[in-house]
Amino acid sequence: MFYDRAKIYVKGGDGGNGCIAMRREKYVPFGGPWGGDGGRGGDVIFVADEGLNTLQDFRYKKHFKAQRGGHGMGKNMNGPAGEDLIVKVPAGTVVREAETGRLIADLVEDGQRVVIARGGRGGRGNVHFASGTNKAPRIAEKGEPGEELWVELELKLIADVGLIGFPNAGKSTFISRVSAAKPKIADYPFTTLVPNLGVVSAGEDRSFVLADIPGLIEGASQGVGLGHEFLRHTERTRLLIHVVDTAGTEGRDPVEDIKIINRELELYDPRLAQRPQIIAANKMDIIPQAEENLARIREAFGGQYEIFPVSAATGQGLHAVIQRVAELLEELPKIEPEQPEEERVTVFKPEGRFNIKRDMDGNWRVTGKEIERHVAMTYLEEEEAVERLQRIMKLMGLEQGLVDAGVKEGDIVRIGNWEFEWTQ
C-alpha cells in the first residue's frame, strides 16, 4: 500500500544520572567525593533513503525512543552514552512539528540526516560539587530528559516531470509506454489510486524520473475526488506534461479540461500554475474528433504551451515528447527543498523564565522549560540537592514571584510532575 502521510512520536534518550559516591579506601581517611557523570542520551535521527517510497512502516509503529545514557558510578566512572536511534524515511519526506506545523526538515538527498529529537545531557556526579566549604557534597544531578514531540511526516515524491490530467486521459498508458512502470490500466475513472514512478531514457545518457499523478477533477484543490490527496507530489517536479483526451471519449471538452486542471493547480499552489508545461494531446488515433479538437486546442493554447499530438495506445508521437522534455530539463533549475525559517528551538531553551498560574483545585502551577529542567535533574531525596534547587529558584526570581502572586503557608506548588508544599 502507498502511504504518504504519518504522525509519530519521537523522544531523545534521557541523560544518565550522576552518581553520589565517596571514596573509601584503607589508609585514606579523607577520600572525598568520587561519583562519576551520567552518559548523554541518544538522539533520534531521520535519514533519507531513496530505496523507500512509502510511509507505510509508520502506520504500524508510531513511537520511536532513543536509548538513555548510562548512570554514573563510583570510583569516578562515567556512564556510557546512549545509542542514537536511526529512523529511515523516504527521500522527499517533509517533517513538521505536529502541534505548531513548524517545518523541521525537508529530506531530499539520499543519506541526508537530521536530528529530530536530541538526547538529554548526562547529570554531573558529586565530584563536580566539591568546594572549600563542602568537601564531601551529597549533591549530584539526574540526567536531563531528552526532547520529545509529535511530528507529522509528509511524503512528496521526487520526480523531474509530472503527468497531470483528468481520469482516463491516458496518463497510465503514457508512463507504461515510455518507462518500465506497470500501473493498473482500465477503462473506468480513478483506475490509478496511487502515484506511479518511472525512469524514462531519452538516449545519449539522458534520463529523468516521471510521476503519474492520479487523475484530478474539478474541485480537487478543495478536496473533491482523489486528486487532492496527491497534488503535493507535483510540487517537486520541474516540468508538467498535461495529458488531455483530445478525442473527448468521456464526453468532455478537451479545451475546457485543460482550463479546469490548470485552475485547480493555481488554487492549490499558485507556484504550480507557473511551472513549465507542455500539452500531450492524446488519443489522436481516434478520428475525426481528435483532429477537430486538436485544432481548437492549438487555437486556445498554442501561444502559451508547446502542443504534441500523441497516441499513448499506439506510441505515436511519444518519442518527440520525451526528447523535448529531456531538452527542457537541461535548462530548468532543480526545485530547492523547503528550509526552516529559523533554527529549531530545543526543548529546554528558555522562552520566559517561568509562568505562575492557579490550577482548577486552587493550587499553584509553575511552568517553564528552564525551571522544569532544574527540578527534573535534582535528587529531591537529598537535602543538600534540594537546598541547591531552592537557591536556583531564588536566583531565578521564582520565590519572589510566588510571594507576589499570593502564595500562602501550606499551599501546594506544582512544577512539572512534582509537588512541593510552600513554607516560609
Side-chain angles (χ1 to χ4, degrees):
M1 295 295 292
F2 180 82
Y3 293 93
D4 56 3
R5 286 183 181 272
K7 182 179 179 181
I8 62 174
Y9 170 83
V10 294
K11 185 181 188 308
D14 296 337
N17 297 336
C19 178
I20 298 176
M22 299 297 173
R23 184 177 181 183
R24 294 183 178 88
E25 291 184 64
K26 195 174 183 179
Y27 310 121
V28 184
F30 301 105
W34 217 14
D37 300 341
R40 188 182 186 282
D43 297 332
V44 178
I45 301 174
F46 283 10
V47 180
D49 187 341
E50 64 181 8
L52 302 176
N53 57 14
T54 176
L55 297 174
Q56 181 178 357
D57 290 345
F58 301 103
R59 182 186 181 197
Y60 304 104
K61 183 178 180 182
K62 294 184 177 291
H63 290 76
F64 296 83
K65 297 181 181 180
Q67 186 181 44
R68 74 166 300 149
H71 299 317
M73 294 167 282
K75 298 185 179 180
N76 207 20
M77 291 191 294
N78 297 335
E83 290 186 10
D84 295 335
L85 177 63
I86 304 298
V87 181
K88 292 184 178 181
V89 297
T93 299
V94 177
V95 185
R96 297 184 184 276
E97 187 176 359
E99 184 177 355
T100 64
R102 178 176 52 84
L103 176 67
I104 296 176
D106 190 1
L107 299 163
V108 296
E109 300 289 341
D110 184 49
Q112 185 180 348
R113 300 161 63 96
V114 64
V115 176
I116 302 299
R118 297 181 179 90
R121 70 174 178 84
R124 292 176 293 173
N126 68 333
V127 70
H128 293 279
F129 296 93
S131 67
T133 57
N134 189 358
K135 296 184 178 180
R138 294 198 61 80
I139 302 174
E141 292 176 331
K142 290 186 176 180
E144 179 184 41
E147 291 184 329
E148 55 182 320
L149 67 161
W150 283 88
V151 295
E152 290 180 343
L153 309 181
E154 182 182 45
L155 175 60
K156 298 178 182 179
L157 293 179
I158 298 178
D160 301 298
V161 182
L163 288 176
I164 59 172
F166 266 86
N168 275 16
K171 300 186 301 300
S172 296
T173 304
F174 188 107
I175 195 172
S176 69
R177 276 279 186 174
V178 300
S179 74
K182 302 297 180 186
K184 181 181 179 182
I185 300 172
D187 190 21
Y188 56 87
F190 301 120
T191 306
T192 304
L193 300 180
V194 301
N196 292 294
L197 287 177
V199 178
V200 180
S201 174
E204 299 178 2
D205 296 324
R206 294 191 301 182
S207 64
F208 57 86
V209 178
L210 180 64
D212 169 19
I213 310 300
L216 306 176
I217 62 174
E218 188 169 10
S221 61
Q222 308 301 319
V224 178
L226 296 177
H228 73 288
E229 290 290 339
F230 305 109
L231 271 168
R232 76 178 69 89
H233 297 297
T234 63
E235 293 179 21
R236 298 192 194 276
T237 58
R238 293 185 281 159
L239 176 69
L240 298 174
I241 300 177
H242 196 147
V243 181
V244 61
D245 178 1
T246 314
T249 58
E250 299 293 318
R252 297 191 305 270
D253 179 1
V255 173
E256 190 62 26
D257 282 358
I258 295 171
K259 293 179 180 178
I260 290 172
I261 295 300
N262 284 342
R263 184 162 59 245
E264 293 304 320
L265 290 176
E266 184 170 12
L267 289 172
Y268 177 77
D269 185 344
R271 292 173 299 179
L272 291 179
Q274 305 302 319
R275 199 67 43 90
Q277 186 180 134
I278 64 174
I279 294 175
N282 193 26
K283 302 188 181 182
M284 290 301 300
D285 53 310
I286 302 176
I287 51 177
Q289 304 98 304
E291 292 289 351
E292 296 171 359
N293 286 330
L294 177 61
R296 295 177 55 232
I297 292 172
R298 282 177 168 157
E299 181 179 354
F301 302 104
Q304 187 176 1
Y305 306 115
E306 294 184 59
I307 300 169
F308 293 83
V310 302
S311 170
T314 66
Q316 170 193 343
L318 295 184
H319 179 75
V321 174
I322 297 308
Q323 293 302 312
R324 182 55 181 154
V325 167
E327 292 172 3
L328 290 172
L329 288 177
E330 290 180 353
E331 304 169 4
L332 296 173
K334 290 193 174 183
I335 304 298
E336 293 296 322
E338 295 184 76
Q339 297 294 332
E341 294 182 4
E342 56 186 16
E343 184 179 350
R344 186 161 59 91
V345 177
T346 59
V347 165
F348 287 130
K349 184 175 181 179
E351 297 158 356
R353 304 202 78 175
F354 56 82
N355 291 300
I356 301 172
K357 62 181 180 179
R358 277 286 179 93
D359 278 344
M360 295 293 290
D361 59 6
N363 291 311
W364 300 91
R365 169 72 63 178
V366 177
T367 58
K369 300 300 183 183
E370 184 181 7
I371 185 59
E372 290 177 23
R373 170 179 173 268
H374 283 302
V375 174
M377 297 182 70
T378 298
Y379 278 95
L380 297 175
E381 61 273 20
E382 294 290 342
E383 184 177 349
E384 287 186 43
V386 173
E387 290 174 355
R388 175 174 178 266
L389 177 62
Q390 290 174 329
R391 291 194 297 272
I392 290 172
M393 290 180 176
K394 188 170 184 177
L395 289 170
M396 288 180 63
L398 176 57
E399 184 178 308
Q400 187 61 48
L402 285 165
V403 171
D404 294 343
V407 69
K408 294 181 175 58
E409 182 82 21
D411 284 357
I412 299 299
V413 178
R414 299 188 176 107
I415 305 176
N417 296 323
W418 296 268
E419 292 186 353
F420 304 89
E421 183 177 339
W422 179 265
T423 58
Q424 298 292 346

